[in-house]
Amino acid sequence: MPSSTSPDQGEDLETCVLRFSDLDLKDTSVINPSSSLKAELDVSTKKKYSFAKKKAFALFVKTKEVPAPSFECKEKWWKCCQQLFTDQTSIHRHVATQHADDICHQTASILKQLTVTLSSSKSLTSADKRTPLIEYLTRNHDTSAWLPDTSCFSPDELISGQGSDKGEVLLYYCYRDLEDPHWVCAWQTALCQHLHLTGKVRIATEGINGTVGGSKLATRLYVEVMLSCPLFKDYLCKDDFKTSEGGACCFPELRVGVFEEIVPMGISPNKISYKKPGIHLSPGEFHKEVEKFLSQANQEQSDTILLDCRNFYESKIGRFQGCLAPDIRKFSYFPSYVDKNLELFREKRVLMYCTGGIRCERGSAYLKAKGVCKEVFQLKGGIHKYLEEFPDGFYKGKLFVFDERYALSYNSDIVSECSYCGAPWDQYKLCSTPQCRQLVLTCPACQGQGFTACCVTCQEKGNRPAPIPAQNSFKEECECTARRPRIPSELSQQVQLPMSPEPRPDGDEDGPCLCEPQRQHYSKPPQS
């Protein structure tokens, strides 16, 4: 953890922090350390803002630490944006130039957190009150005290399984109020590095959301630590961790950070809280509800809607029979989708599901808050837990995952098709054109003919020598981005519900990102 505040920042720290509590720190025009902001603040307040920014910068850099190779004299290196930095100057320069927005966000979060903590710390002794808050938390919450003892294991035992089928990927989340998400961030970084885990962990005042991969020994130790940690032991149980074959090889690096939300719905947790979700149904209960829904003669006239809360490229390769799968690219579009199609849900029983359950927690809370549904239910544990109990149930196709595996297979059904020839195919690949991050479904036969791009524009770009890209020049610029509305309307057309695990009948699912091309555009292979 970074060093504590300077001696002159003791008594008036609370005064400074409380003054910031009235600012809208989500507004970048306020939190951005611009000259206009600094001009409005007196010297003392600017000093405290500078202190918070330095702390945010130090915490961000710390989350990028990785062990240096044994032949190096240095104890640590840094890895960020898939680049390796061997000296502190280079990582500092990288963070300052490429992650300014992240630093501003964490600065705001630190100021807010200090406000909350200081206002609730009246029970401290007068001596403790005089101690700067960051120093107090650091001294009493040493991250090393919450790392497992691995002295009885060799490094090879902890790392073994990486790059092979002996590893494992954990998926979990826990909604619970966290007073100090930045300490949790530093602890999770140290824990994952200690166990040689890679992956992504999002932390906020509302909880934690993680997907980590490593050896089965490492993931077992990770679960044990999480279940014994006082912060989570009363909120997590072993069944909350979903497992699948994989390992550290499934992620390019370890990314741990503090955010406003542990799943990005785009609405402040203060407005839509995880504490008011839909009714949780076990996989068995959900299975019975879906069975009853599918047995109805006219499902379009039913009082029940089976709603997929995921993105279109996820539901494209796997979904529940009879579901309504919104044609949206990001979960942050889900609230706008609900608003635009609100009449669709009026007086309906809604059965919601997603990959692991976390999106349904906030998504169901948002839908409930609209006050139009009869009832809102959600699948506890998500598709992951359902497929563990019902691999040949009503979910057909693959389960999309956000790592380098792209999908998990529990049954032999293929519900999508090659974008070029229409043959059954459900294995995604990245568009072959440099700088494009779209996903494309193209079968081996079409790949052999050179059809590897997501659209005509990208295919043509791929036939031309590409300039050396700038470090931050990744953009979604191709004809895929303009092919459909950002927020689709289900009310302007008859809703077509996929009733069987057959490939979709039309090509209108393609959208602004991670989408496939229209086959009629490709009548011959590209010229080499």
Side-chain angles (χ1 to χ4, degrees):
M1 294 286 286
S3 60
S4 63
T5 58
S6 57
D8 64 337
Q9 293 175 331
E11 292 290 348
D12 59 343
L13 179 60
E14 180 173 353
T15 304
C16 160
V17 172
L18 293 178
R19 291 170 65 181
F20 271 96
S21 66
D22 295 328
L23 300 178
D24 181 8
L25 292 173
K26 188 177 179 182
D27 185 351
T28 56
S29 64
V30 176
I31 66 172
N32 189 42
S34 62
S35 57
S36 60
L37 170 64
K38 292 185 178 181
E40 296 174 3
L41 305 178
D42 57 39
V43 175
S44 176
T45 305
K46 284 193 289 185
K47 191 174 184 180
K48 304 309 183 295
Y49 181 90
S50 177
F51 157 73
K53 183 181 177 184
K54 289 177 182 178
K55 294 300 177 185
F57 191 93
L59 282 167
F60 189 90
V61 171
K62 186 174 181 62
T63 63
K64 304 302 177 182
E65 291 180 3
V66 296
S70 57
F71 58 82
E72 288 285 337
C73 298
K74 300 177 181 178
E75 294 183 357
K76 58 189 177 184
W77 284 355
W78 297 264
K79 189 173 184 181
C80 187
C81 299
Q82 301 188 37
Q83 298 181 64
L84 196 62
F85 301 90
T86 59
D87 63 276
Q88 202 168 49
T89 301
S90 60
I91 182 62
H92 282 188
R93 183 183 297 112
H94 171 80
V95 172
T97 57
Q98 301 299 320
H99 296 282
D101 289 345
D102 295 320
I103 301 304
C104 285
H105 178 83
Q106 290 207 23
T107 299
S109 182
I110 287 174
L111 289 169
K112 277 188 173 181
Q113 188 57 42
L114 287 173
T115 302
V116 173
T117 309
L118 282 169
S119 64
S120 61
S121 62
K122 303 303 182 183
S123 61
L124 295 176
T125 65
S126 58
D128 283 333
K129 286 183 180 179
R130 291 193 295 270
T131 303
L133 180 63
I134 297 296
E135 181 182 5
Y136 175 83
L137 291 175
T138 304
R139 186 179 71 242
N140 293 277
H141 296 78
D142 181 13
T143 59
S144 64
W146 296 102
L147 300 182
D149 180 11
T150 58
S151 58
C152 58
F153 306 111
S154 68
D156 288 340
E157 286 181 285
L158 281 174
I159 301 174
S160 66
Q162 296 184 12
S164 73
D165 60 358
K166 298 179 181 178
E168 191 171 57
V169 170
L170 291 176
L171 174 68
Y172 76 97
Y173 69 91
C174 177
Y175 275 107
R176 62 96 70 223
D177 293 341
L178 296 176
E179 292 184 358
D180 189 359
H182 293 280
W183 179 84
V184 177
C185 178
W187 167 57
Q188 281 290 311
T189 301
L191 175 61
C192 291
Q193 291 175 349
H194 186 65
L195 297 175
H196 303 280
L197 298 173
T198 60
K200 297 170 285 187
V201 182
R202 292 177 64 101
I203 300 150
T205 55
E206 65 174 357
I208 185 171
N209 174 20
T211 307
V212 295
S215 67
K216 288 188 176 180
L217 170 61
T219 55
R220 176 175 64 80
L221 292 172
Y222 182 89
V223 171
E224 290 175 358
V225 170
M226 291 297 295
L227 294 179
S228 63
C229 176
L231 286 174
F232 301 108
K233 66 178 183 179
D234 294 330
Y235 299 86
L236 278 173
C237 66
K238 191 173 182 180
D239 196 51
D240 291 323
F241 293 85
K242 300 93 178 175
T243 62
S244 56
E245 290 186 0
C249 58
C250 297
F251 305 91
E253 60 184 351
L254 173 66
R255 299 175 61 185
V256 185
V258 177
F259 302 84
E260 185 178 22
E261 307 169 83
I262 58 173
V263 62
M265 191 171 76
I267 296 179
S268 171
N270 295 327
K271 295 180 179 179
I272 298 295
S273 172
Y274 70 88
K275 297 176 182 178
K276 297 180 180 180
I279 300 171
H280 290 74
L281 298 179
S282 68
E285 293 169 331
F286 195 85
H287 182 81
K288 291 180 181 178
E289 286 287 347
V290 175
E291 184 176 36
K292 183 166 57 177
F293 168 65
L294 293 177
S295 67
Q296 297 174 2
N298 191 341
Q299 291 163 17
E300 290 186 19
Q301 300 300 318
S302 170
D303 70 341
T304 300
I305 291 179
L306 180 56
L307 180 62
D308 193 321
C309 293
R310 301 173 301 159
N311 306 320
F312 81 90
Y313 52 88
E314 298 175 77
S315 59
K316 187 185 292 286
I317 63 171
R319 55 188 176 262
F320 274 95
Q321 294 173 268
C323 75
L324 171 61
D327 198 18
I328 57 176
R329 186 173 71 85
K330 297 179 179 179
F331 183 57
S332 57
Y333 296 173
F334 182 78
S336 297
Y337 173 83
V338 169
D339 293 345
K340 191 171 184 178
N341 298 279
L342 197 58
E343 288 302 312
L344 189 69
F345 302 103
R346 189 170 298 279
E347 295 301 315
K348 297 288 188 179
R349 299 174 69 254
V350 180
L351 303 172
M352 302 175 67
Y353 69 89
C354 60
T355 304
I358 186 170
R359 282 178 276 190
C360 286
E361 300 284 2
R362 294 282 308 286
S364 65
Y366 186 84
L367 188 54
K368 276 186 63 180
K370 292 299 175 180
V372 300
C373 302
K374 280 185 180 179
E375 294 175 295
V376 179
F377 301 93
Q378 63 187 83
L379 174 57
K380 181 176 174 59
I383 303 167
H384 251 290
K385 286 298 181 181
Y386 178 86
L387 287 174
E388 288 179 8
E389 291 191 32
F390 303 97
D392 296 313
F394 297 116
Y395 185 91
K396 305 299 180 181
K398 285 187 168 62
L399 173 60
F400 185 94
V401 290
F402 290 91
D403 57 55
E404 296 187 2
R405 297 172 298 174
Y406 291 124
L408 303 178
S409 179
Y410 290 83
N411 53 60
S412 59
D413 300 300
I414 299 178
V415 302
S416 53
E417 61 184 23
C418 172
S419 301
Y420 293 92
C421 68
W425 189 251
D426 59 6
Q427 297 181 30
Y428 277 125
K429 286 186 176 295
L430 281 176
C431 175
S432 57
T433 304
Q435 310 311 302
C436 183
R437 309 302 296 173
Q438 320 287 337
L439 290 175
V440 59
L441 290 173
T442 175
C443 69
C446 291
Q447 291 179 42
Q449 298 181 60
F451 295 124
T452 55
C454 65
C455 65
V456 174
T457 303
C458 276
Q459 193 73 39
E460 292 175 349
K461 285 181 180 179
N463 294 331
R464 301 192 301 266
I468 298 176
Q471 186 175 14
N472 59 346
S473 64
F474 285 94
K475 295 181 179 179
E476 297 165 353
E477 292 184 347
C478 64
E479 67 179 33
C480 301
T481 62
R483 197 173 300 160
R484 61 182 184 147
R486 179 175 178 270
I487 308 297
S489 174
E490 309 289 0
L491 301 175
S492 61
Q493 56 186 343
Q494 184 179 5
V495 180
Q496 297 296 323
L497 303 178
M499 300 307 302
S500 64
E502 298 176 357
R504 58 180 175 80
D506 57 68
D508 294 333
E509 282 188 9
D510 301 334
C513 178
L514 298 169
C515 53
E516 297 100 56
Q518 295 175 334
R519 293 192 303 275
Q520 61 268 30
H521 289 169
Y522 296 85
S523 57
K524 61 180 180 179
Q527 299 298 316
S528 58

